[in-house]
Amino acid sequence: MEGEPISALCTPALVVDVDKVKRNAQRMIERFQTLGVQLRPHMKTHKTLECADIMTAGSRRCIVVSTLAEATFYADHGYDDILYAYSVPFDKVERCAALSERLELFQVLLDHPDALEQLKKRPLRDGRQWHVWLKLDCGNGRAGVLHSDPAALRLAQAIAEAEGVQLTGVYSHCGNTYNCRGVEQIQTVARETTSLILQFMEKLKAVGITCKSSIGSTPSCSHPVKDMAQLCEVHPGNYVFYDVQQCVIGACSLDDVAVKILTRVIGHCPHRNQLLIDCGWSGISLDGAGKLPTGYAVIEGHPNLKLLSMTQEHGRVEPISGQLDYSKYPLGSLLTLIPYHSCATALMHSVYHVHSEGRLLGRWIPTRGW
């Protein structure tokens, strides 16, 4: 189908605007080159080789992954310096060890002493060391040992002192930027997170420990503050695609969103003042809970339409106000959905259809599983 218009695709179809992908990636690269901070892009949004090559400018080095399936996929395609940024799952220690013994630099992350004990029970071959990042909670409230808890410093010291283990860095996800509205709020969170992790680095320095520091989230890295120049690394990921959620937060504009879902009108329901479309939650996900004024997505070019609800393979679309003019939406006609959360939407598709200016260039195949 190369060269054909995206309208030739069977729907629902996930389409990727490669020009926007490249633009988003290049902006992030330049942003942190200017600050003098290493960009370690996260692969979890897209999980493809082609997009990873764009995000790393072809270096195939210095990436973050959220699953061992991703880690193995990228290792199999020549990637190295991979950080598995997920608190070490005990059932996967052996798989982590295999990657640590295979690659020049495979890194894991932990936030509990029991995880450190698991690594110590599995020494690596050939004199290799486990490269470990300590996960710190600087206000996000998900994984990580709380930055102010004395146990955080004790755990960092235990990692640094353990035989066969190296404390490579301290890692914090400022996912609390997802509660922000506007650049000022985003930058306030970025400044606070940076300050807290740098304070923790000073505590480490006081006990003779030096290692890297890293924070990340797409909003904070889309609008970095100057204090972030004191960090070693940042690790955003969603920015390569962006989505409506990022627009609402203030991280990007709607024009920056590189991923959309094509869907077709398959039913007229005048008794309900609704259209049926062939995209249900299996094609876009239920993330966002329909809380946008336009429901579960933005329907491009149709500000008065709302994706009200979905079943597995059907979507119900109705006007925000007034009566539908069905002559504008004949059966088989295309609508374009801009997803609330591109990471969740991408996960629903086994193929991404890549285009430039609406003409198909090829397909990207993501890796799947854990």
Side-chain angles (χ1 to χ4, degrees):
M1 299 184 71
E2 191 171 326
E4 292 191 46
I6 58 175
S7 59
L9 293 168
C10 289
T11 53
L14 184 147
V15 294
V16 177
D17 186 328
V18 73
D19 301 313
K20 291 185 178 183
V21 165
K22 289 177 179 178
R23 185 180 72 192
N24 293 340
Q26 189 58 34
R27 284 176 176 172
M28 194 65 76
I29 289 168
E30 291 174 357
R31 203 171 279 142
F32 286 96
Q33 282 179 341
T34 300
L35 280 180
V37 176
Q38 176 67 56
L39 174 64
R40 182 183 290 276
H42 211 308
M43 302 292 107
K44 73 180 186 67
T45 299
H46 59 90
K47 307 187 186 216
T48 66
L49 183 64
E50 295 87 348
C51 198
D53 285 347
I54 292 169
M55 295 172 86
T56 62
S59 72
R60 299 201 167 185
R61 293 293 181 275
C62 200
I63 62 171
V64 190
V65 298
S66 59
T67 68
L68 285 178
E70 293 165 52
T72 302
F73 172 76
Y74 287 112
D76 288 346
H77 288 91
Y79 274 72
D80 213 317
D81 189 356
I82 299 173
L83 169 56
Y84 175 37
Y86 193 89
S87 300
V88 172
F90 296 175
D91 63 317
K92 298 178 178 67
V93 168
E94 191 57 40
R95 289 170 63 191
C96 289
L99 284 163
S100 296
E101 292 167 345
R102 170 185 171 188
L103 297 176
E104 182 179 324
L105 184 57
F106 179 73
Q107 301 156 85
V108 297
L109 176 149
L110 57 80
D111 61 4
H112 196 281
D114 288 358
L116 176 59
E117 291 306 309
Q118 292 292 322
L119 300 185
K120 288 163 66 176
K121 289 177 183 176
R122 179 34 173 109
L124 300 177
R125 294 193 297 267
D126 303 323
R128 287 176 173 254
Q129 291 188 313
W130 285 101
H131 294 275
V132 176
W133 290 71
L134 172 65
K135 180 66 178 287
L136 209 62
D137 180 358
C138 292
N140 182 39
R142 194 173 65 182
V145 58
L146 190 63
H147 66 92
S148 58
D149 189 337
L153 184 58
R154 290 197 298 269
L155 182 53
Q157 289 176 290
I159 296 168
E161 294 167 2
E163 186 176 349
V165 179
Q166 177 188 104
L167 178 62
T168 302
V170 178
Y171 182 106
S172 182
H173 173 52
C174 45
N176 40 337
T177 51
Y178 281 70
N179 299 319
C180 293
R181 293 296 180 270
V183 174
E184 185 177 346
Q185 289 184 17
I186 291 170
Q187 292 188 324
T188 295
V189 173
R191 194 174 293 110
E192 290 173 350
T193 305
T194 300
S195 176
L196 291 174
I197 203 165
L198 291 175
Q199 288 174 33
F200 189 79
M201 302 310 290
E202 287 300 313
K203 293 179 185 178
L204 291 180
K205 189 176 178 181
V207 295
I209 297 173
T210 58
C211 63
K212 294 179 181 179
S213 56
S214 181
I215 75 164
S217 72
T218 281
S220 62
C221 292
S222 295
H223 299 290
V225 295
K226 58 180 174 51
D227 295 351
M228 289 169 68
Q230 300 175 66
L231 299 167
C232 298
E233 295 186 1
V234 291
H235 50 264
N238 172 280
Y239 69 91
V240 75
F241 282 173
Y242 282 127
D243 49 39
V244 173
Q245 181 182 32
Q246 295 291 343
C247 298
V248 171
I249 292 166
C252 69
S253 71
L254 206 57
D255 186 58
D256 295 320
V257 181
V259 168
K260 297 171 184 177
I261 301 297
L262 299 184
T263 183
R264 282 187 165 84
V265 176
I266 58 168
H268 290 170
C269 309
H271 57 294
R272 297 198 306 266
N273 196 29
Q274 289 180 347
L275 302 170
L276 277 183
I277 58 173
D278 66 357
C279 181
W281 54 254
S282 64
I284 197 167
S285 93
L286 289 170
D287 209 346
K291 61 188 177 186
L292 294 169
T294 53
Y296 286 89
V298 169
I299 303 179
E300 189 173 56
H302 299 278
N304 193 46
L305 290 185
K306 179 176 184 177
L307 180 53
L308 177 71
S309 64
M310 291 178 286
T311 55
Q312 186 166 342
E313 304 297 346
H314 295 81
R316 298 182 184 92
V317 173
E318 69 179 27
I320 293 173
S321 62
Q323 293 293 310
L324 279 173
D325 180 354
Y326 288 95
S327 67
K328 293 181 179 179
Y329 311 102
L331 296 185
S333 59
L334 277 175
L335 293 175
T336 302
L337 309 179
I338 309 177
Y340 178 79
H341 187 186
S342 62
C343 307
T345 296
L347 197 62
M348 313 307 286
H349 292 262
S350 58
V351 175
Y352 308 161
H353 300 277
V354 182
H355 70 95
S356 175
E357 298 181 350
R359 292 281 170 179
L360 291 167
L361 298 177
R363 308 192 312 165
W364 293 352
I365 308 297
T367 190
R368 289 289 179 255
W370 294 270

